[in-house]
Amino acid sequence: MVMTILVTGATGRVGGQVAAQLWGTGARVRALARNPGGVAGGVAGDLTRPETLGPALTGVDAAFLVFPSVAGDAAAAALVGAVTAAVPHVVYLAAYGVPDEPDPRASADGTILGSHAHVEGLLAAAPGRATFLRASGFAANTLGWAAQIRAGDVLRWFHPDARRALVHEADLAAVAVRCLLGDVTAGGRHHLTGPEQLTQVEQLAAIGAALGRPLRFEALAPD
């Protein structure tokens, strides 16, 4: 049977990679975006307005869900209800640090982790199966430094010694694709990390080495 897979956030870094990697598998890809023009398999829909998702959800066997954390919290319950009523398996991209068993009755608290915990709890309590991918750190977050690095060799940032095992979005997508296709048993919470923990100073040094430039980290007070 050919699977139909819905990919949300299909114009984003992780969702875009999931859609691209699915195209060579034989699955039918339905790529959700607010403005899907030019997106292969594109279908319009807005996760913060679940009432717009009906056509996108029809006949779907599995869905990759990237939730607009915090900004979309008010719509989370309706969104999860709509998706799980139509789709038997949801693979949700969450974040490391969410409690092992989030309380489905707890509301979001305005933080990123609180938002992820809220959605995880809703999915766990809903019908069907849910698989949770908890990423330890998104490598693409370092693009927040890009403007400073383009402008000079000094990065002015905070928490120089903060450590993370960053994961590239293509690797996050590769795990999601295996889950969506059934190569990984549905259900469970998977902690995804990069190969080693790096401080932000070490991350900057790696970027400098790739660019052939000696970059320097200038620590700012967190406030």
Side-chain angles (χ1 to χ4, degrees):
M1 183 188 75
V2 177
M3 296 182 68
T4 297
I5 298 176
L6 175 68
V7 179
T8 70
T11 57
R13 292 192 181 99
V14 181
Q17 280 282 340
V18 171
Q21 292 181 33
L22 279 170
W23 278 115
T25 67
R28 296 190 188 96
V29 180
R30 195 171 292 172
L32 184 80
R34 287 193 182 99
N35 301 297
V39 178
V43 59
D46 185 340
L47 295 178
T48 65
R49 297 172 56 211
E51 69 276 10
T52 68
L53 302 179
L57 295 172
T58 303
V60 170
D61 299 298
F64 176 68
L65 178 59
V66 180
F67 183 72
S69 299
V70 181
D73 285 348
L79 171 66
V80 169
V83 172
T84 56
V87 182
H89 181 208
V90 177
V91 177
Y92 175 56
L93 182 62
Y96 179 64
V98 173
D100 283 343
E101 300 291 340
D103 184 351
R105 299 164 299 178
S107 59
D109 61 6
T111 67
I112 296 291
L113 283 179
S115 180
H116 283 305
H118 181 50
V119 175
E120 275 204 24
L122 292 169
L123 285 167
R129 296 166 295 164
T131 302
F132 304 106
L133 305 182
R134 294 176 170 178
S136 63
F138 294 74
N141 287 347
T142 56
L143 289 170
W145 301 345
Q148 290 192 61
I149 292 172
R150 288 191 189 102
D153 293 334
V154 178
L155 173 70
R156 296 171 179 84
W157 207 251
F158 43 88
H159 296 312
D161 297 323
R163 290 180 176 271
R164 280 192 171 180
L166 300 183
V167 193
H168 194 281
E169 56 269 29
D171 294 328
L172 292 170
V175 176
V177 166
R178 293 193 62 187
C179 293
L180 290 162
L181 294 176
D183 297 334
V184 176
T185 301
R189 295 175 169 88
H190 305 286
H191 179 197
L192 309 182
T193 80
E196 63 178 320
Q197 295 246 354
L198 298 175
T199 66
Q200 295 200 104
V201 171
E202 291 167 336
Q203 292 169 36
L204 182 66
I207 293 169
L211 294 173
R213 290 167 52 195
L215 303 180
R216 181 168 59 85
F217 196 111
E218 183 177 299
L220 299 178
D223 57 352

